[in-house]
């Protein structure tokens, strides 16, 4: 008998906590959804593990990997529910996080606003010191004032302090000295040093990112501590790994030190798995569409690569305007996220228009049809009334849907609109589909993507159900829906490899550097990254990539260029080639400037693959469901995903645990033997 090698991916979302149990010894996969417990997310995790352990009594003894993604960080930032945070900085620079940069996100709006700084002005404390741009000490640190400031902040109830000194990227000595002073004082302050979090030029981004890290650090520390304690208490002696926003996994200890790298940890797992699925199906350009209970996420994958940015923003005042948010300058997969999910609440605005979201019923109380006290109409309620969901087949957290409760909730909205309950439900779905389509359309335009040549990978609890209509609006010709679509982000966690990037700014003209000088810095960065990756995968072979952020001297923006050869000639040639590809031209007579050096290390690992499905079955009896093209209830074939064979022409509904797939009228769906559904949409796309 084969000894099990269990691995679990766990994604805590706003409505549900998803699990995927993978036995590496046999390749078997098992999925589970439980309701999220927002007040204490670790409780929902333990409930799910308890259910899995009931099915597999040997789970605790043979669980070797537990990889976790969470919305805790981004939710704490957006909801402003982090720690009371202060900022220690160089005299004269306390207002950098409020004055921001000399950029207006809308040059015609004289009343434009920005997010409130995460640290209020009364908690920003300047201290005497000054470090030069070359790392030379201009003025020594006033240690007495540092002690006084830390004691005063602790007395005011501050939990966490961001230490952001000018030019600390060039020489972190003063920041390290402040950390030593804090350690020697009888205080319980949590410190985040900019030299550790983001040792790079651009003080606004460095200050902002470090402040965000300090803001969420105590909350993440408590949460991960409670999770690890609960795991040990239930006999799970397994280390906890966390998914980063940039796509790699790290240990809980690394995540606790730099939790700001977890801001988009949940959605990234799905994007990673979507990329792998698209490549397995032979498509290099794809659009990942993930609709969950609270939000919908879209990510453009081009040439088989996830788009990783270091200019990400959170807490935008205007959803589609860059510069209107708070910078989060750590490696992050570039995606767009809007408040459109199964729990999104429908309402009538001041102009009498029907709106859906961004407010959500989340897990508690949830949609009205969940029977947990919710009374407001949500997208899930509308989908139930339109026949897309079957109470007997809905498999999410053990919930049995209540049609009468959904009808009562939507009826309360139908009366002021002067519509029938069915037409109101259909209108709700039209609105939420258009919201998601508009967001994806603008995002793709900003990133230069051609959606008509892309393949959609639809997943999440609602992605396969809404994917056909969103794809129709975007003129996307094909949709792929994976096995276990409802927990696909959790599967992505298991597919991820341990990966970590370390960077350091070293701004100067390239001609003023030497290859040995660059090699010494890169060796130090590699050592840091290798130690982090080795902690997550002690015995795994490692690979490394080196990069430099370069620009022409005098420019304000730079390009990331791979470093294969550290000679001036090779670096210059690589930069000019990258510049030519990006802008269509390059200069031969302008000097190149080095801005930042980067080292990325990854470890080899194996995870689940897309595999053949077992079983063959027949089409079940049809049921009435809404057809958005006919604008009427029409018969839909109902098929079980796991037992489907051959090709089906829509309209049809294909069920799998945790998700329902809508095959629209005229579309054809084929089950690929490797474990996904391939839906081809009609070439002639009807207009609304």
């Amino acid at each position: 008998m084969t000894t099990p090698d269990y691995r679990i991916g766990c994604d805590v979302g706003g409505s549900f906590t998803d699990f995927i149990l993978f036995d590496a010894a046999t390749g078997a996969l098992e999925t589970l959804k439980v309701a999220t417990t927002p007040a204490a997310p670790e409780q929902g995790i333990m409930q799910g593990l308890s259910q899995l352990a009931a099915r597999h009594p040997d789970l605790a003894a043979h669980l070797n990997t537990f990889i976790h993604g969470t919305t805790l960080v981004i939710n704490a930032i957006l909801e402003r529910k982090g720690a009371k945070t202060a900022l220690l900085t160089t005299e004269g620079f306390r207002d950098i996080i409020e004055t921001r940069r000399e950029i207006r996100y809308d040059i015609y709006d004289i009343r434009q606003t920005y997010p409130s700084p995460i640290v209020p002005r009364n908690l920003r404390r300047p201290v005497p010191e000054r470090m030069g741009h070359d790392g030379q000490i201009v003025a020594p640190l006033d240690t007495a004032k540092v002690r006084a400031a830390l004691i005063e902040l602790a007395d005011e109830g501050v939990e966490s302090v961001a230490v952001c000194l000018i030019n600390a990227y060039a020489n972190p000595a003063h920041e390290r000295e402040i950390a030593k002073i804090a350690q020697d004082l009888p205080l319980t302050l949590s410190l985040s040093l900019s030299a550790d979090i983001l040792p790079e030029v651009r003080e606004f981004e460095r200050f902002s990112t470090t402040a965000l890290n300090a803001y969420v650090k105590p909350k993440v520390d408590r949460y991960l501590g409670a999770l690890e304690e609960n795991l040990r208490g239930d006999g799970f002696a397994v280390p906890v790994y966390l998914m980063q926003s940039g796509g790699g996994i790290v240990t809980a200890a690394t995540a606790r030190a730099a939790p700001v790298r977890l801001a988009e940890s949940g959605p990234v797992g799905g994007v990673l798995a979507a990329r792998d699925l698209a490549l397995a199906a032979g498509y290099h350009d794809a659009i990942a569409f993930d609709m969950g209970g609270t939000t919908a996420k879209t990510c453009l994958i081009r040439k088989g690569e996830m788009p990783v940015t270091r200019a990400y923003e959170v807490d935008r005042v205007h959803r589609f305007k860059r510069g209107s948010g708070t910078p989060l300058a750590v490696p992050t997969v570039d995606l767009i996220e809007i408040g459109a999910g199964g729990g999104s609440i429908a309402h009538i605005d001041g102009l009498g228009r029907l709106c859906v979201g961004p407010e959500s019923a989340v897990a508690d109380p949830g949609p009205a049809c969940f029977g947990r006290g919710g009374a407001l109409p949500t997208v899930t309620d509308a989908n139930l009334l339109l026949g897309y969901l079957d109470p007997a087949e809905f498999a999410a957290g053990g919930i049995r849907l209540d049609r009468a409760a959904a009808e009562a909730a939507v009826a309360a909205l139908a009366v002021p609109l002067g519509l029938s309950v069915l037409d109101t439900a259909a209108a709700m779905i039209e609105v939420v589909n258009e919201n998601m389509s508009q967001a994806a359309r603008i995002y793709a335009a900003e990133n230069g993507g051609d959606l008509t040549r892309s393949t959609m990978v639809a997943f999440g609890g609602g992605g396969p159900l809404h994917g056909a209509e969103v794809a129709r609006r975007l003129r996307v010709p094909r949709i792929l829906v994976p096995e276990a679509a409802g927990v696909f982000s959790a599967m992505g966690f298991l597919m991820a490899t341990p990966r970590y990037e370390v960077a350091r700014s070293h701004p100067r003209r390239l001609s003023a550097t030497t290859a040995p000088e660059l090699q010494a810095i890169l060796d130090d960065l590699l050592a840091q990254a290798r130690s982090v990756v080795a902690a997550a995968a002690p015995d795994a072979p490692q690979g490394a990539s080196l990069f430099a952020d370069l620009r022409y001297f005098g420019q304000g923006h730079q390009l990331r260029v791979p470093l294969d050869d550290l000679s001036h000639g090779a670096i210059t040639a690589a930069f000019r080639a990258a510049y030519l590809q990006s802008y269509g031209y390059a200069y031969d007579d302008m000097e190149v400037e080095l801005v930042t050096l980067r080292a990325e290390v990854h470890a080899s690992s194996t995870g689940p693959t897309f595999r053949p499905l077992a079983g063959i079955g027949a089409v079940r009896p049809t049921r009435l469901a809404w057809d958005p093209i006919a604008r009427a209830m029409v018969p839909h074939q109902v098929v079980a995903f796991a037992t489907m064979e051959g090709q089906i022409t829509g309209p049809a509904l294909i069920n799998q645990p945790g998700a329902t797939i809508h095959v629209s009228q005229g579309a054809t769906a084929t089950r690929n033997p490797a474990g996904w559904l391939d839906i081809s949409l009609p070439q002639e796309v009807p207009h609304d």
Side-chain angles (χ1 to χ4, degrees):
M1 182 176 179
T2 304
T3 302
D5 179 7
Y6 293 128
R7 307 178 190 183
I8 288 179
C10 173
D11 180 24
V12 178
S15 299
F16 292 102
T17 295
D18 300 337
F19 294 85
I20 187 154
L21 175 64
F22 171 57
D23 185 352
T26 63
L29 291 170
E30 185 173 335
T31 67
L32 175 69
K33 276 181 176 284
V34 300
T36 293
T37 50
E42 68 275 7
Q43 293 179 8
I45 293 175
M46 299 313 299
Q47 290 171 13
L49 286 175
S50 177
Q51 292 185 33
L52 290 173
R55 303 176 191 172
H56 304 274
D58 58 350
L59 179 62
H62 297 291
L63 179 60
N64 298 315
T65 304
F66 183 84
I67 304 176
H68 177 32
T70 176
T71 58
L72 184 70
V73 171
I74 192 65
N75 288 346
I77 294 170
L78 298 180
E79 298 170 8
R80 295 299 175 101
K81 293 182 179 179
K84 186 174 183 179
T85 303
L87 172 71
L88 275 187
T89 188
T90 309
E91 279 187 335
F93 294 90
R94 68 188 295 195
D95 294 322
I96 279 179
I97 62 173
E98 192 158 5
T99 55
R100 300 171 65 91
R101 300 175 62 198
E102 295 179 2
I103 294 176
R104 296 172 64 85
Y105 61 82
D106 188 339
I107 61 174
Y108 301 110
D109 183 0
I110 62 173
R111 297 182 178 85
Q112 61 186 290
T113 58
Y114 296 92
S116 299
I118 210 78
V119 182
R121 195 170 195 273
N122 67 301
L123 293 179
R124 300 177 219 148
R125 302 299 166 84
V127 294
E129 72 87 38
R130 189 59 184 264
M131 194 71 67
H133 72 281
D134 56 359
Q136 299 299 311
I137 296 176
V138 177
L141 179 68
D142 190 328
T143 56
K145 289 197 174 180
V146 169
R147 288 190 188 90
L150 291 172
I151 292 170
E152 186 178 282
L153 290 171
D155 289 341
E156 293 182 28
V158 168
E159 289 182 75
S160 192
V161 179
V163 181
C164 304
L165 304 182
I166 287 299
N167 296 323
Y169 67 87
N171 185 347
H174 285 174
E175 288 195 355
R176 304 271 185 237
E177 194 171 352
I178 289 175
K180 180 66 168 59
I181 292 170
Q183 185 179 8
D184 293 340
L185 289 172
L187 305 174
T188 57
L189 292 173
S190 172
L191 260 63
S192 295
L193 309 185
S194 74
D196 293 334
I197 303 303
L198 194 72
E200 300 182 29
V201 293
R202 297 186 184 273
E203 61 268 17
F204 171 48
E205 286 80 357
R206 181 162 56 89
F207 280 40
S208 170
T209 303
T210 307
L212 288 173
N213 191 81
Y215 187 65
V216 300
K217 190 175 180 181
K219 189 167 190 173
V220 171
D221 189 61
R222 287 192 294 268
Y223 165 64
L224 291 179
L227 176 58
E228 290 178 318
E229 183 179 348
N230 280 317
L231 287 170
R232 287 192 298 270
D234 282 12
F236 293 97
V238 61
V240 176
Y241 299 102
L242 279 296
M243 188 76 178
Q244 298 180 102
S245 301
I249 58 174
V250 293
T251 63
T254 300
R256 288 165 116 167
V260 74
R261 288 184 178 240
L262 307 178
E264 294 292 354
S265 81
V268 166
V271 175
L272 190 152
R275 179 204 56 188
D276 288 358
L277 174 58
L279 289 174
Y283 303 106
H284 289 76
D285 291 341
I287 179 169
F289 174 55
D290 174 9
M291 183 180 179
T294 307
T295 59
K297 284 77 67 176
T298 298
C299 183
L300 202 60
I301 299 164
R302 287 180 291 182
K303 298 180 180 179
E305 295 293 334
M306 297 189 300
V308 177
T309 180
R310 288 149 191 84
Y312 199 70
E313 290 181 352
V314 296
D315 203 15
R316 281 189 182 181
V317 174
H318 291 279
R319 181 189 302 161
F320 302 124
K321 293 185 178 180
R322 293 184 183 274
S324 68
T326 302
L328 185 64
V330 294
T332 303
V333 172
D334 191 9
L335 51 82
I336 188 168
E337 186 169 2
I338 67 169
S344 294
I345 298 170
H347 62 281
I348 301 172
D349 69 5
L351 298 178
R353 300 174 302 185
L354 176 64
C355 301
V356 180
E359 293 79 14
S360 174
V362 293
D364 186 13
C369 61
F370 281 12
R372 295 181 171 180
L376 299 175
T378 69
V379 171
T380 298
D381 296 312
N383 279 326
L384 175 60
L385 297 180
L386 294 174
Y388 295 132
L389 302 178
D390 185 344
E393 295 174 343
F394 185 81
I399 297 169
R400 186 174 181 85
L401 302 182
D402 185 340
R403 182 181 177 86
E407 190 166 357
V410 175
L413 193 65
V415 172
L417 289 173
L419 298 174
S420 68
V421 171
L422 190 64
D423 286 339
T424 301
M428 289 168 59
I429 300 304
E430 288 280 329
V431 170
V432 76
N433 285 341
E434 183 56 35
N435 287 348
M436 294 185 291
S437 302
Q438 181 188 30
R441 195 178 295 118
I442 294 174
Y443 163 77
E446 285 182 345
N447 290 276
D450 184 354
L451 296 179
T452 63
R453 297 178 181 273
S454 300
T455 296
M456 175 182 285
V457 180
F459 55 97
L465 182 56
H466 291 256
E469 273 303 290
V470 172
R472 181 172 73 90
R473 285 171 163 80
L474 298 175
R475 297 182 178 272
V476 173
R478 184 179 301 275
I479 304 172
L480 303 178
V481 181
E483 182 183 16
V487 296
F488 201 50
S489 286
M491 177 178 278
F493 299 162
L494 295 180
M495 292 178 168
T497 60
R499 184 182 301 271
Y500 202 73
E501 179 186 291
V502 180
R504 183 185 305 161
S505 287
H506 191 64
R508 61 206 61 209
R509 299 186 190 215
L510 186 60
S511 60
T513 67
T514 65
E517 172 191 358
L518 299 181
Q519 189 65 61
I521 297 172
L522 290 168
D523 285 345
D524 183 49
L525 297 179
L526 280 170
Q528 295 178 51
R530 288 187 189 282
S531 66
V532 171
V533 171
D539 301 319
Q542 292 186 350
S545 301
L546 304 176
F547 303 92
D549 293 353
L550 302 165
R551 63 191 179 192
Y552 285 117
F553 186 78
Q555 290 184 328
H557 297 276
Q558 55 269 355
L559 292 176
R560 187 186 195 207
V561 176
L563 294 179
D564 299 318
D565 184 332
L566 297 184
S567 67
H568 289 174
I571 294 175
T572 300
F575 170 69
R576 286 177 179 162
Y579 201 94
L580 179 64
Q581 183 178 12
S582 297
Y583 301 109
Y585 59 91
Y587 299 101
D588 293 329
D589 58 346
M590 291 183 65
E591 193 166 3
V592 176
E593 182 181 18
L594 170 66
V595 180
T596 301
L597 293 167
R598 303 181 185 276
E600 182 184 84
V601 174
H602 65 273
S604 301
S605 64
T606 58
T609 58
F610 304 105
R611 60 187 181 82
L613 300 174
I616 296 176
V619 175
R620 298 182 183 183
T622 61
R623 76 165 180 260
L624 291 177
W626 183 260
D627 187 317
I629 298 175
R631 298 188 183 278
M633 299 289 283
V634 302
H636 281 59
Q637 300 176 74
V638 180
V639 187
F641 183 92
T643 59
M644 178 183 163
E645 65 173 344
Q647 187 179 86
I648 289 178
T649 300
L653 296 170
I654 301 173
N655 297 315
Q656 61 174 234
T660 298
I661 305 160
H662 179 217
V663 182
S664 56
Q665 184 182 137
T668 58
T670 305
R671 191 189 80 173
N672 188 289
W676 62 80
L677 197 69
D678 193 323
I679 302 174
S680 180
L681 300 179
Q683 293 299 309
E684 292 296 325
V685 182
H687 294 280
D688 291 329

